[in-house]
Amino acid sequence: MTNSINVNQDEIAKFEKVAQFWWDLEGDFKPLHQINPIRRQFIIQHAQDLFDKKVIDVGCGGGILAESLAKLGAKVTGIDMGDEPLNVAKLHALESGINVEYLKSTAEQHAAENSAQYDIVTCMEMLEHVPDPASVIAACAKMVKPKGFVFFSTLNKTTKAYLLAILAAEKILKIVPDGTHEHDKFIRPSTLIGWAESHELKCLDAAGIHYNPITENHKLIDSLDVNYILCCQKVNE
Ligand code: SAH
């Protein structure tokens, strides 16, 4: 699939608009800052030592996860289709003295030239913003080395996810901008796992990411009802 096909420009525009607040710990991306340590922990738990590992972060945005993995010694490339998020990410890495390579690319485009190049592929909170998430998963499967790990996180297609992630977070509490998410684009874990397994990605583990914006309590939980993260491993072809 080409670049022009699997990108929803309206979705990109939403992130362009608020990119300047990406590193504001109390701003629109506060939930991502708060859950980042637990998703990083989940990655370490499975991939273990990240030192010198080649990592690609697909839909990296302003670089919250990418930087946190680079800090562990990983050689991180972040790709995104938003100019502003990438500018913010580059500037922040420079300010923090952290080395991350940022490129404007889709997963599909990057995979075409980087087959089996990465020890770890991460794709967090991005699949629910693309027209064809299965195509992104195929590209992630292509980029990872045999036995390498691919991590996905997204929102489940449940009523509870609608009530918490859209109604509460966007409309009532206004902790994320109105219109950030569409329930139609949420993905059931069984669907995601099915796509992954059709591309030789075996699902090893799944966890729920719990975040309570009022108490700011965040932790990994068993229930995949709302936000969840998967660890997949590329099986030998
Ligand atoms: N993964 C980051 C940011 C999530 S926000 C994190 O979890 O911290 C979603 C990001 O996906 C935005 O930066 C948006 O620009 C990007 N995005 C949306 N569609 C995309 C596409 N088709 N290709 C690449 N990036 C995309």
Side-chain angles (χ1 to χ4, degrees), residues 1 7 53-54 67 88 90 103 158 201 211 229 236:
M1 179 166 288
V7 178
K53 294 278 168 62
K54 272 193 82 181
E67 272 198 23
V88 168
K90 285 177 196 163
L103 304 170
T158 57
L201 292 177
Y211 176 62
I229 184 165
N236 280 344

Side-chain angles (χ1 to χ4, degrees), residues 23 53-80 85-104 118 122:
W23 286 90
K53 294 278 168 62
K54 272 193 82 181
V55 177
I56 181 140
D57 187 25
V58 175
C60 60
I64 297 172
L65 180 70
E67 272 198 23
S68 74
L69 299 180
K71 275 192 195 157
L72 299 170
K75 289 187 235 154
V76 184
T77 300
I79 60 171
D80 202 282
L86 286 170
N87 286 340
V88 168
K90 285 177 196 163
L91 202 62
H92 197 270
L94 204 66
E95 282 171 1
S96 327
I98 293 169
N99 197 16
V100 178
E101 178 188 37
Y102 286 111
L103 304 170
K104 184 173 181 180
Y118 294 95
T122 57

Side-chain angles (χ1 to χ4, degrees), residues 8 11 14 126-134 154-163 165-167 170-171 179-189 191-192 195 228:
N8 181 338
E11 291 287 333
K14 286 184 201 169
M126 181 269 195
L127 294 170
E128 70 273 24
H129 300 288
V130 298
D132 182 358
T154 191
L155 286 152
N156 198 347
K157 208 181 215 161
T158 57
T159 305
K160 193 169 168 189
Y162 169 76
L163 293 174
I166 299 181
L167 194 64
E170 293 183 14
K171 321 277 183 215
T180 300
H181 287 116
E182 283 161 41
H183 188 252
D184 269 5
K185 301 293 294 173
F186 292 1
I187 305 168
R188 286 186 192 89
T191 307
L192 214 169
W195 288 332
Y228 64 96

Side-chain angles (χ1 to χ4, degrees), residues 6-8 11-12 15 22 29 32 36 39 57-62 64-65 79-82 85 105-107 123-126 129-131:
N6 200 18
V7 178
N8 181 338
E11 291 287 333
I12 302 297
F15 292 100
W22 215 289
F29 295 96
L32 289 185
N36 197 54
R39 58 190 189 178
D57 187 25
V58 175
C60 60
I64 297 172
L65 180 70
I79 60 171
D80 202 282
M81 284 305 284
S105 179
T106 62
C123 180
M124 307 278 175
E125 313 306 321
M126 181 269 195
H129 300 288
V130 298

Side-chain angles (χ1 to χ4, degrees), residues 8 25 30 43 47 52 59 84 87 107 126 144 165 170 214 224:
N8 181 338
L25 301 183
K30 182 173 180 176
I43 293 169
D52 244 15
E84 280 313 307
N87 286 340
M126 181 269 195
V144 73
E170 293 183 14
I214 299 168
L224 310 183

Side-chain angles (χ1 to χ4, degrees), residues 220-237:
L220 289 179
I221 53 171
D222 289 337
S223 167
L224 310 183
D225 275 3
V226 183
N227 209 196
Y228 64 96
I229 184 165
L230 300 182
C231 170
C232 302
Q233 188 170 31
K234 182 81 183 260
V235 292
N236 280 344
E237 280 160 22

